[in-house]
C-alpha cells in the first residue's frame, strides 16, 4: 500500500547517473539547488541564477590592476596578436571590460548584444544596467590560445573617490560577479608604483572568497636593479598582507610580460623560470575546469543553505500583525546574534556565513513579510546532493581528467619555449652539452679518473660499495644518489667503469648546482663506449 514511500526513499539514497560532469552539474543545479535559491530569494542577496553557459563555457582568466600595469599588453603577449578594441599606453587607456574570446572572424560584440546571447556566460550582467553594458564588449578573433581559454581585460583602477563615482556602476560588484565565474584571477602590479589605491584595496576585498583563484604578477621587473627588486617584492608582500587576510602567501610571479628587450638583463634566468611557472598554471586550467566548477557549486550550495536558515529565522521572529517595522529594525541590528544561534543549532562553520555588514544593508530594503518559513524538504534535497551526487561527480571528474591528460592551452606565447635551444633550461643542468660533438663529461674526466684509480678498480671497474664511499661525500640524500647510480650504471652490472664513474660525478655536480635529474639518461650524456650497447 505504501510502496511509493520505498521508491522515494530509494531514490534519495541512490545518486543519479550522469554521462559528463557538465551535464551532471547542470542537472543537479536545476533540480536540487535552484528550488532552494528561488524559495529564499538567494538571487536578490548574493548571486544571479546560473545558466547552461556557465557550466559549458571555457575556462576564463580575469586580469585586474591599476592603470598602466600592463594588463592589455599581457594579453597581447599571451596571444602574440593584437585583438579588436585593444589600446595600449602609459595613461589609462582601457576604460571598458573586454572579454577576449575565440571567434571565426575578428570583430567586436557590444555589451547589450552580448547579454542576450544564450551561448555566452554573460546574460546575468544585464542587472548592472546600461552604465555598465556601454562599457562592456567582447573581442572575438581566431587564435589558438583562445581555443582553450578566454581572457577578461578590465579598466585600469585609479586612485581617488571621484574615479569610483564617475563610473556610474558598482565596479567592485561587477568584478565580484566575474570572480565567481572565472578560473583564475591575476592581479597585476607595476614594479615602479606599488601604491594600492582605495579602490584597488576595495576590489581586492571584494575578491575575498576567491583567494584560491588569485595569483599576483609583479610586472615590468626588468626595469629595476636586483637589489631594488628584492625591496619592491618585500614591499608588495607587506602591502598584500594587510589586505588579503589569509594564512597562506599568495603566489607572486616576477617578470616582464611583453616582447621587448629586457632593460636590465641581470635577472633573465629568474624571469624565465617565473614565466614558465605562470604559463604552467594557466595551461592547467582546461584540465582542472570541471573540478573548479564542481568546487564553485559546492561553495554556492553551502551559502544557499545558510541563507535559507537566515531568511527562515527572520520570518519566524516577525509578528503577524502589529509592530513589523520596529521588529525589522531590531532583527537587522541583532543579525550577528541570529548568525551565532544558527551556527550553534545547525553546526555550521562561521566561514560559511555571508558578510554581516553587507547582509544588514541588503535586508534594509526587503519586505520581511514575503520571506518563507523553513522548508525541510528543500534543505534535505541539497544535503542529499552534497552527500551523494557530488561524490559520484568527483569520480567522473577524475575519469574525464584521465581520458584527456594532455588537454592544455597551446599556441601564442605558450609555444615560444617548447622547441629548440630557447626552451626553459635548454643547455643547463643535465641538458648541458646537448649540442656539443664531444661528450660533455670528458671536460672533467681527468679529475674524476684520479679519484677512480684510488678506489681499487678490478678489471677496470669499481664495486658498488667502493663507489658509495666516494658518492656519499656529496652529502646528497640516498634517494638522490640511488637515482644517480641507476642512471650511471648503464650496463646494469652493479659496478662502474671509469666512464660510468665520471658520469655519476657529473650528475652529482648537476644536482649540487640546483638542477633536476632526468628520469632517463639523455642520449648526449651516454659515454661514447656505451652508445652501441643502448642501440
Amino acid at each position: 500500500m505504501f510502496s511509493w514511500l520505498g521508491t522515494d526513499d530509494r531514490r534519495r539514497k541512490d545518486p543519479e547517473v550522469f554521462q559528463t560532469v557538465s551535464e551532471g552539474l547542470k542537472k543537479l543545479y536545476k533540480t536540487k539547488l535552484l528550488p532552494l535559491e528561488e524559495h529564499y530569494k538567494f538571487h536578490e542577496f548574493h548571486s544571479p541564477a546560473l545558466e547552461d553557459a556557465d557550466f559549458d563555457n571555457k575556462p576564463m582568466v580575469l586580469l585586474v590592476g591599476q592603470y598602466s600595469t600592463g594588463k592589455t599588453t599581457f594579453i597581447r603577449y599571451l596571444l602574440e596578436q593584437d585583438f579588436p578594441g585593444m589600446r595600449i599606453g602609459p595613461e589609462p587607456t582601457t576604460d571598458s571590460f573586454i572579454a577576449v574570446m575565440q571567434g571565426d572572424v575578428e570583430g567586436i560584440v557590444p555589451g547589450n548584444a552580448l547579454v542576450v546571447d544564450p551561448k555566452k556566460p554573460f546574460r546575468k550582467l544585464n542587472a548592472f544596467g546600461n552604465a555598465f553594458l556601454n562599457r562592456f564588449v567582447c573581442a572575438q578573433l581566431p587564435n589558438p590560445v583562445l581555443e582553450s581559454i578566454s581572457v577578461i581585460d578590465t579598466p585600469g583602477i585609479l586612485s581617488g573617490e571621484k574615479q569610483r563615482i564617475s563610473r556610474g556602476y558598482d565596479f567592485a560588484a561587477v568584478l565580484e560577479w566575474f570572480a565567481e565565474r572565472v578560473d583564475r584571477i591575476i592581479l597585476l602590479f607595476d614594479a615602479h608604483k606599488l601604491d594600492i589605491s582605495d579602490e584597488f584595496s576595495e576590489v581586492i576585498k571584494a575578491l575575498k572568497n576567491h583567494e584560491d583563484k588569485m595569483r599576483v604578477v609583479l610586472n615590468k621587473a626588468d626595469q629595476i636593479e636586483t637589489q631594488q627588486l628584492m625591496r619592491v617584492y618585500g614591499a608588495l608582500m607587506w602591502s598584500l598582507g594587510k589586505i588579503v587576510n589569509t594564512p597562506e602567501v599568495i603566489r607572486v610571479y616576477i617578470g616582464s610580460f611583453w616582447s621587448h628587450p629586457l632593460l636590465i638583463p641581470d635577472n633573465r634566468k629568474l624571469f624565465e623560470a617565473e614565466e614558465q611557472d605562470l604559463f604552467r598554471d594557466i595551461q592547467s586550467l582546461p584540465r582542472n575546469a570541471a573540478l573548479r566548477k564542481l568546487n564553485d557549486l559546492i561553495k554556492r550550495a553551502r551559502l544557499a543553505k545558510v541563507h535559507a536558515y537566515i531568511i527562515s529565522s527572520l520570518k519566524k521572529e516577525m509578528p503577524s500583525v502589529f509592530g513589523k517595522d520596529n521588529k525589522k529594525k531590531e532583527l537587522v541590528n541583532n543579525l550577528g546574534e541570529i548568525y551565532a544561534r544558527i551556527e550553534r543549532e545547525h553546526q555550521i562553520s562561521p566561514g560559511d556565513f555571508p558578510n554581516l555588514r553587507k547582509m544588514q544593508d541588503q535586508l534594509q530594503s526587503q519586505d520581511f513579510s514575503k520571506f518563507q518559513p523553513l522548508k525541510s524538504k528543500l534543505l534535505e534535497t541539497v544535503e542529499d546532493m552534497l552527500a551523494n551526487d557530488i561524490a559520484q561527480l568527483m569520480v567522473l571528474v577524475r575519469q574525464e581528467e584521465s581520458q584527456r591528460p594532455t588537454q592544455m592551452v597551446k599556441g601564442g606565447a605558450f609555444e615560444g619555449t617548447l622547441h629548440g635551444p630557447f626552451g626553459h633550461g635548454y643547455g643547463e643542468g643535465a641538458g648541458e652539452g646537448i649540442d656539443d660533438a664531444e661528450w660533455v663529461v670528458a671536460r672533467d674526466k681527468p679529475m674524476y679518473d684520479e679519484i677512480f684509480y684510488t678506489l681499487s678498480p678490478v678489471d677496470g671497474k669499481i664495486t658498488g660499495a667502493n663507489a658509495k664511499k666516494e658518492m656519499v661525500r656529496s652529502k646528497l640524500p640516498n634517494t638522490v644518489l640511488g637515482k644517480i647510480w641507476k642512471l650511471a650504471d648503464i650496463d646494469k652490472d652493479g659496478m662502474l667503469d671509469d666512464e660510468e664513474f665520471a658520469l655519476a660525478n657529473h650528475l652529482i655536480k648537476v644536482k649540487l648546482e640546483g638542477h633536476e635529474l632526468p628520469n632517463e639518461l639523455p642520449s648526449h650524456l651516454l659515454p661514447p663506449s656505451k652508445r652501441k650497447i643502448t642501440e
Side-chain angles (χ1 to χ4, degrees):
M1 184 170 97
F2 296 109
S3 62
W4 60 273
L5 283 173
T7 308
D8 187 57
D9 205 38
R10 205 161 45 244
R11 191 182 299 125
R12 188 178 296 118
K13 286 177 185 171
D14 295 338
E16 297 196 43
V17 178
F18 305 114
Q19 299 303 314
T20 66
V21 176
S22 180
E23 176 218 321
L25 289 171
K26 280 188 272 191
K27 190 166 183 186
L28 286 180
Y29 177 69
K30 286 177 183 173
T31 58
K32 299 196 171 183
L33 183 55
L34 186 59
L36 179 77
E37 292 183 354
E38 289 175 336
H39 195 70
Y40 294 104
K41 302 185 175 217
F42 178 87
H43 307 136
E44 293 181 28
F45 286 85
H46 304 291
S47 175
L50 298 176
E51 296 192 330
D52 286 355
D54 290 307
F55 298 105
D56 294 332
N57 69 303
K58 295 169 189 169
M60 292 194 289
V61 178
L62 179 70
L63 296 182
V64 183
Q66 299 183 167
Y67 78 94
S68 195
T69 51
K71 295 186 298 297
T72 308
T73 307
F74 181 84
I75 299 174
R76 203 222 167 280
Y77 183 67
L78 291 186
L79 303 183
E80 291 188 343
Q81 176 181 354
D82 291 351
F83 57 88
M86 183 185 91
R87 286 174 61 219
I88 294 173
E91 76 283 1
T93 46
T94 304
D95 64 345
S96 302
F97 282 80
I98 303 177
V100 186
M101 306 180 85
Q102 176 71 9
D104 294 333
V105 291
E106 282 197 26
I108 287 182
V109 182
N112 280 292
L114 206 53
V115 295
V116 296
D117 185 351
K119 292 180 182 176
K120 296 279 193 297
F122 306 123
R123 279 161 58 97
K124 298 296 179 179
L125 281 168
N126 60 6
F128 293 103
N130 274 331
F132 166 71
L133 295 179
N134 291 336
R135 289 276 176 270
F136 178 45
V137 297
C138 175
Q140 293 186 320
L141 69 156
N143 186 284
V145 174
L146 300 176
E147 289 172 10
S148 306
I149 58 169
S150 301
V151 189
I152 314 293
D153 193 8
T154 61
I157 297 168
L158 297 172
S159 55
E161 184 71 10
K162 182 173 178 288
Q163 168 66 19
R164 190 158 60 90
I165 293 169
S166 66
R167 289 194 193 276
Y169 59 89
D170 191 336
F171 183 66
V174 172
L175 282 178
E176 193 174 356
W177 186 95
F178 275 110
E180 284 180 14
R181 288 156 178 82
V182 300
D183 297 71
R184 188 65 75 238
I185 303 164
I186 297 180
L187 302 177
L188 274 99
F189 289 87
D190 185 333
H192 280 287
K193 46 177 196 287
L194 282 185
D195 60 308
I196 298 179
S197 68
D198 294 342
E199 188 179 28
F200 198 12
S201 177
E202 187 183 322
V203 161
I204 296 173
K205 285 174 183 171
L207 306 175
K208 186 178 183 332
N209 296 323
H210 307 284
E211 288 94 347
D212 56 322
K213 299 178 181 180
M214 284 168 64
R215 303 288 185 271
V216 174
V217 169
L218 181 59
N219 201 10
K220 306 184 183 180
D222 67 317
Q223 298 178 15
I224 51 179
E225 302 280 353
T226 304
Q227 193 176 9
Q228 287 176 300
L229 181 59
M230 185 178 69
R231 290 177 180 150
V232 166
Y233 178 80
L236 174 61
M237 297 304 290
W238 182 78
S239 300
L240 285 171
K242 292 196 298 180
I243 302 170
V244 185
N245 298 314
T246 56
E248 302 87 10
V249 176
I250 289 182
R251 177 66 165 98
V252 177
Y253 299 92
I254 304 169
S256 179
F257 294 91
W258 66 346
S259 53
H260 292 250
L262 298 175
L263 290 179
I264 301 172
D266 300 2
N267 298 306
R268 172 186 279 276
K269 285 185 73 172
L270 169 68
F271 298 159
E272 286 174 0
E274 291 284 283
E275 182 181 279
Q276 287 301 311
D277 283 355
L278 178 59
F279 281 5
R280 271 195 292 270
D281 185 63
I282 295 173
Q283 284 181 303
S284 70
L285 295 181
R287 196 168 61 247
N288 300 326
L291 192 60
R292 193 275 304 169
K293 287 169 185 169
L294 183 64
N295 184 52
D296 283 357
L297 188 72
I298 295 169
K299 278 203 286 191
R300 189 181 178 100
R302 291 166 72 97
L303 179 60
K305 271 175 52 191
V306 172
H307 179 76
Y309 285 128
I310 295 169
I311 296 299
S312 57
S313 295
L314 293 172
K315 173 69 175 178
K316 190 177 177 182
E317 297 286 336
M318 285 297 285
S320 54
V321 185
F322 300 113
K324 289 185 179 182
D325 288 345
N326 289 335
K327 188 64 177 176
K328 175 181 171 180
K329 286 177 187 172
E330 181 190 327
L331 289 172
V332 171
N333 290 334
N334 297 334
L335 189 62
E337 294 172 20
I338 294 171
Y339 274 20
R341 190 174 72 240
I342 293 169
E343 189 184 323
R344 283 194 310 272
E345 286 178 9
H346 302 284
Q347 286 83 50
I348 295 171
S349 165
D352 286 349
F353 284 82
N355 181 277
L356 179 63
R357 184 72 58 82
K358 188 177 175 185
M359 193 71 179
Q360 286 174 320
D361 292 342
Q362 289 171 319
L363 285 168
Q364 302 284 0
S365 59
Q366 293 287 332
D367 184 353
F368 284 23
S369 63
K370 291 183 180 176
F371 287 173
Q372 299 294 332
L374 195 66
K375 195 171 181 181
S376 300
K377 193 171 181 182
L378 287 173
L379 284 159
E380 284 169 14
T381 304
V382 174
E383 287 284 3
D384 175 59
M385 178 188 89
L386 291 171
N388 300 312
D389 298 306
I390 293 295
Q392 189 211 359
L393 274 182
M394 279 297 296
V395 175
L396 200 55
V397 165
R398 296 301 175 209
Q399 287 176 358
E400 286 192 1
E401 281 181 358
S402 63
Q403 289 164 7
R404 294 180 292 185
T406 57
Q407 187 184 20
M408 59 195 302
V409 183
K410 294 178 181 175
F414 299 99
E415 298 292 321
T417 55
L418 288 181
H419 310 291
F422 294 96
H424 180 58
Y426 188 94
E428 300 171 9
E432 185 185 355
I434 193 168
D435 293 325
D436 294 355
E438 185 188 4
W439 187 39
V440 66
V441 183
R443 297 173 194 168
D444 298 318
K445 191 169 182 294
M447 180 176 64
Y448 300 141
D449 283 348
E450 284 182 27
I451 302 169
F452 178 79
Y453 289 110
T454 65
L455 299 173
S456 311
V458 177
D459 296 332
K461 294 195 173 190
I462 57 171
T463 62
N466 284 347
K468 181 180 177 181
K469 287 176 191 172
E470 179 60 33
M471 290 170 70
V472 294
R473 290 174 184 267
S474 66
K475 299 181 182 177
L476 287 170
N478 281 356
T479 50
V480 176
L481 292 173
K483 186 173 182 181
I484 290 172
W485 175 272
K486 188 178 174 185
L487 291 168
D489 184 15
I490 293 161
D491 50 19
K492 310 298 178 199
D493 62 354
M495 304 177 84
L496 300 181
D497 63 19
D498 61 322
E499 287 185 331
E500 289 173 327
F501 180 74
L503 174 59
N505 278 279
H506 179 76
L507 293 171
I508 287 172
K509 184 180 122 187
V510 164
K511 189 63 186 171
L512 291 174
E513 287 174 350
H515 301 287
E516 290 303 315
L517 293 171
N519 292 320
E520 292 182 12
L521 193 69
S523 58
H524 72 279
L525 286 184
L526 275 171
S529 65
K530 301 288 191 298
R531 289 179 187 177
K532 289 179 183 177
I533 296 174
T534 55
E535 289 168 8

